[in-house]
Amino acid sequence: MIVLLMQAILGSGGNFLISREGEKQIFNIRRTLEKHLISLPVQFYDNQNRGKLTSRVINDSTKQI
């Protein structure tokens, strides 16, 4: 009984830590993309749909993890 309880607690803790690390990585990817997008010339945005660009950043950065 105690062994099962310990396994449940440690398993939950491990899942939490893995999830938290994944979220940190996604945040770092998005921050890097944001810095890159800000550094692009204004002419780049003349030919881009803002909604499509935002969607790509969010979806593609999430798929990397």
Side-chain angles (χ1 to χ4, degrees), residues 36-49 53:
H36 174 71
L37 290 171
I38 288 172
S39 72
L40 292 173
V42 174
Q43 292 80 14
F44 170 79
Y45 295 100
D46 289 340
N47 300 323
Q48 300 294 322
N49 179 320
L53 187 60

Side-chain angles (χ1 to χ4, degrees), residues 1-2 6 16 24-25 29-31 33 37 42-43 48 50-54 56 59:
M1 179 83 168
I2 293 176
M6 290 298 290
F16 171 77
K24 279 191 216 177
Q25 293 300 321
I29 290 169
R30 288 181 180 165
R31 186 172 50 189
L33 281 169
L37 290 171
V42 174
Q43 292 80 14
Q48 300 294 322
R50 287 179 290 190
K52 196 177 257 188
L53 187 60
T54 302
R56 291 271 326 253
N59 292 324

